[in-house]
Amino acid sequence: MKKLLLFSFIAVCCLISSSVSAQFSKPISIGAGAGGTFNLTDLGNVESKFAFYGELDYLITPFISVGLHGEKGTLAGNGYESDFKNRYFAGNINGKIRVGQFLDGAKNYSYYTLQANTLSRILSNVYVGAGAGLVKNRISRNISTLYANYLESSGGEIAKDPGEIHFVVPLEVGVDIPFGRTLYGPQWAINVNYQHTLTFNDNLDGIINKNNDQYGFVSVGVKYALFNRK
């Protein structure tokens, strides 16, 4: 996880020193990336694992987007002489709004991309987002008899269906850093993102207790813009 964060920081610093622009002027982008996961579950000794994603975004304006996100990864943890591993699939529909939407330059995008300084261009692409989606669990687990007895005595239980699908709400914060100017604006972007996923079912680890499970996903990816605005 520390190596991933260091890589992300270096990538951002390198791109700041190069020629960058505001968010894509093209209406559609596709992207892919990878990173590390960590979970907040009943078995609290977290083992950071790998995940990757693919996404499709539509830009309503150069700074507001709606999109589809697909993700595959692993969550793992241990404790109380027990452990679990969840090789999950997830998908969501989401919306993002970038700082540039609130800047004066957003009213004239073409002029802004030519006149804004590097710091303003980076700042304009910082975003927050939220969505709604589903997670499909694929859980394997080893639960000690002592912990199983404790769960039963405290009102918890071992989940009967470790492969169920349930509803989630992903929350995001990150930055897109477009580069590679064309006649119609930048066509590529580096994305650095943190996604925190809230569940409404306490079963990311196959253990149902008092609090709903959550997980985080830190990622670095690349985006490519498609088509031209009419």
Side-chain angles (χ1 to χ4, degrees):
M1 181 68 72
K2 291 181 179 179
K3 291 182 179 180
L4 176 63
L5 293 174
L6 178 60
F7 173 77
S8 302
F9 177 76
I10 293 172
V12 171
C13 289
C14 290
L15 285 167
I16 287 175
S17 63
S18 65
S19 176
V20 296
S21 301
Q23 176 62 312
F24 298 134
S25 60
K26 299 191 175 188
I28 295 175
S29 68
I30 56 174
T37 63
F38 65 92
N39 46 281
L40 301 172
T41 59
D42 297 285
L43 296 178
N45 297 326
V46 176
E47 303 171 18
S48 181
K49 295 295 182 179
F50 177 79
F52 63 91
Y53 71 88
E55 63 182 10
L56 174 70
D57 285 321
Y58 174 75
L59 288 165
I60 300 171
T61 77
F63 299 104
I64 297 177
S65 65
V66 293
L68 299 173
H69 173 98
E71 181 184 325
K72 185 180 186 301
T74 302
L75 302 171
N78 63 81
Y80 310 107
E81 299 182 351
S82 305
D83 62 77
F84 84 96
K85 185 172 289 186
N86 184 353
R87 296 180 175 87
Y88 71 92
F89 298 91
N92 67 69
I93 182 169
N94 61 78
K96 301 185 183 77
I97 185 166
R98 296 163 177 80
V99 173
Q101 185 65 28
F102 305 102
L103 302 179
D104 290 339
K107 298 176 183 178
N108 188 334
Y109 175 78
S110 297
Y111 179 81
Y112 174 74
T113 59
L114 293 173
Q115 297 297 320
N117 60 45
T118 298
L119 180 60
S120 295
R121 291 168 178 168
I122 296 294
L123 178 62
S124 70
N125 287 294
V126 174
Y127 63 81
V128 294
L134 299 172
V135 165
K136 166 67 174 176
N137 291 329
R138 294 175 60 205
I139 302 173
S140 58
R141 61 200 173 185
N142 296 294
I143 307 299
S144 70
T145 302
L146 183 63
Y147 186 50
N149 291 337
Y150 163 76
L151 285 173
E152 184 177 352
S153 66
S154 61
E157 63 177 311
I158 306 300
K160 297 180 177 60
D161 181 8
E164 69 180 358
I165 299 173
H166 55 94
F167 178 72
V168 295
V169 172
L171 306 174
E172 297 182 86
V173 60
V175 60
D176 289 320
I177 308 175
F179 64 95
R181 291 191 61 82
T182 69
L183 180 63
Y184 300 100
Q187 196 161 12
W188 293 88
I190 296 294
N191 173 257
V192 180
N193 186 78
Y194 172 68
Q195 173 184 287
H196 192 86
T197 300
L198 306 175
T199 76
F200 295 84
N201 182 311
D202 183 22
N203 191 21
L204 285 179
D205 55 0
I207 297 168
I208 299 175
N209 207 352
K210 297 177 181 178
N211 299 313
N212 290 334
D213 294 333
Q214 306 174 32
Y215 76 91
F217 177 32
V218 181
S219 63
V220 178
V222 63
K223 292 184 174 183
Y224 181 74
L226 301 172
F227 311 118
N228 297 318
R229 289 187 182 276
K230 295 181 179 180

